[in-house]
Amino acid sequence: MESELPDIYCPFPQRSNPHVSHTREHLDAWTRRTGLVHRESARRRFQQADFGAFVGMVHPTANSEHLDLVADWFVWLFLVDDQLDDGHLGRSPHRVRDVVERMRAVVEGRAPAPAPAPAPDEETPAALVALADLWERTVPQAAAHWRTRFTWHLMTYLTTATTWEAGNRADGIVPSETVYIAKRRHTGAIHVCMDLIEIVAGIGAPESIHNDARFITALEASCNVVCWANDVYSYEKEQVLGEIHNLVHLVRHHRGYGERQALEHVCEEIAAETERFLGAERELLGRHPELEDLLVPYLDGMRSWMRGNLDWSRQTPRYNPADVSQYAEPGAYLEASVLGVSDAHARLGAGNGL
């Protein structure tokens, strides 16, 4: 599909992390230990997607420990997003709420840490085992205001945004472009990922920076670039799956554009958001020269996300419309493990997360 897509403007250099090989090995061991990817047929598909390469592209300067940590977060978010988007769970808002409440209990410390088992079951659901592990490795050492923001972003992704999509599917609602764009930054969990830049870079941005209009603009623009580029690359596969939550699809639906015209329109909007990021970046650095040591790595993390997401999207088989089954087998992750549902057709597919 790559040759058929319009060019996506990206002025940032292509980079990769030297620790990718180690992270691939780590991901294989971690997903086995937590039960996220259990059967070998699912593991082959998971390895083909090469999430280790992805995290190396979006965090090219991370040390090995941090690269492993954010890789685990990305895999967890991808798999949750896929099941909520493409599994039958994603068409049942009340079942989504049940899943999310069990995750909220882990985040708020109201649930005992579940122990991993050789294969996930109702007592040791893989999603909760992995989340508890991630939470313990990420949050306790972070500043209080970072923990508050990160928790809010994660729960907003798991509640408002995800339930909103499930409700739209159940009720046959096609959202407007404006509403979708605002929600998309949450449905793709990109704010969660951007928060992790502070952990990876070893910086702590004060609340005054997070409240600065220039920083807000840079963050919003970079999030839009990542999400909309994902929509371009996942569009064909999501059409096969009947997914309406895709900016290209909504542009076609609301404006009456043909497929090529809609793709070109979204790519033009990506270019405009990239320029908006660059303008906000210049203003932010000019306004706060005393915070250069903090702002430069933070903004570089946003740049790496825009570039790395684009490079990975161009090479991963994840968006191949000829193959709508992906990384986990029936009953291994959310539907059977968390809800006790056995469905031979439950699968993880393209999703519009990240």
Side-chain angles (χ1 to χ4, degrees), residues 140-152:
Q141 292 76 32
H145 65 84
W146 184 92
R147 293 198 303 268
T148 298
R149 185 172 60 255
F150 184 74
T151 299
W152 187 84

Side-chain angles (χ1 to χ4, degrees), residues 100-115:
V100 168
E101 283 310 306
R102 295 194 67 178
M103 292 179 177
R104 184 191 297 277
V106 171
V107 170
E108 295 179 353
R110 294 185 287 106

Side-chain angles (χ1 to χ4, degrees), residues 94-174:
H94 74 278
R95 290 166 66 193
V96 170
R97 285 191 290 270
D98 289 342
V99 172
V100 168
E101 283 310 306
R102 295 194 67 178
M103 292 179 177
R104 184 191 297 277
V106 171
V107 170
E108 295 179 353
R110 294 185 287 106
D121 54 38
E122 290 194 47
E123 285 70 42
T124 57
L128 299 187
V129 169
L131 178 59
D133 176 75
L134 287 168
W135 204 254
E136 179 61 29
R137 292 159 56 202
T138 307
V139 175
Q141 292 76 32
H145 65 84
W146 184 92
R147 293 198 303 268
T148 298
R149 185 172 60 255
F150 184 74
T151 299
W152 187 84
H153 282 148
L154 180 63
M155 294 314 304
T156 299
Y157 159 65
L158 289 172
T159 55
T160 307
T162 311
T163 306
W164 172 74
E165 283 193 344
N168 288 343
R169 295 187 191 100
D171 298 335
I173 295 173
V174 179

Side-chain angles (χ1 to χ4, degrees), residues 2-54:
E2 179 183 343
S3 61
E4 301 172 3
L5 292 176
D7 289 334
I8 294 180
Y9 168 66
C10 188
F12 312 125
Q14 184 177 21
R15 296 183 289 173
S16 186
N17 193 296
H19 302 298
V20 166
S21 295
H22 177 274
T23 295
R24 288 191 182 110
E25 295 176 2
H26 166 82
L27 281 175
D28 182 75
W30 187 74
T31 54
R32 290 181 190 275
R33 178 168 59 84
T34 58
L36 287 178
V37 184
H38 181 60
R39 295 182 183 173
E40 287 306 311
S41 58
R43 183 158 300 280
R44 284 192 295 271
R45 296 182 185 279
F46 175 78
Q47 291 171 343
Q48 288 170 358
D50 201 356
F51 288 102
F54 174 53

Side-chain angles (χ1 to χ4, degrees), residues 162-189:
T162 311
T163 306
W164 172 74
E165 283 193 344
N168 288 343
R169 295 187 191 100
D171 298 335
I173 295 173
V174 179
S176 69
E177 289 178 45
T178 300
V179 170
Y180 173 78
I181 285 170
K183 296 284 190 181
R184 181 67 173 92
R185 292 187 292 273
H186 293 295
T187 61

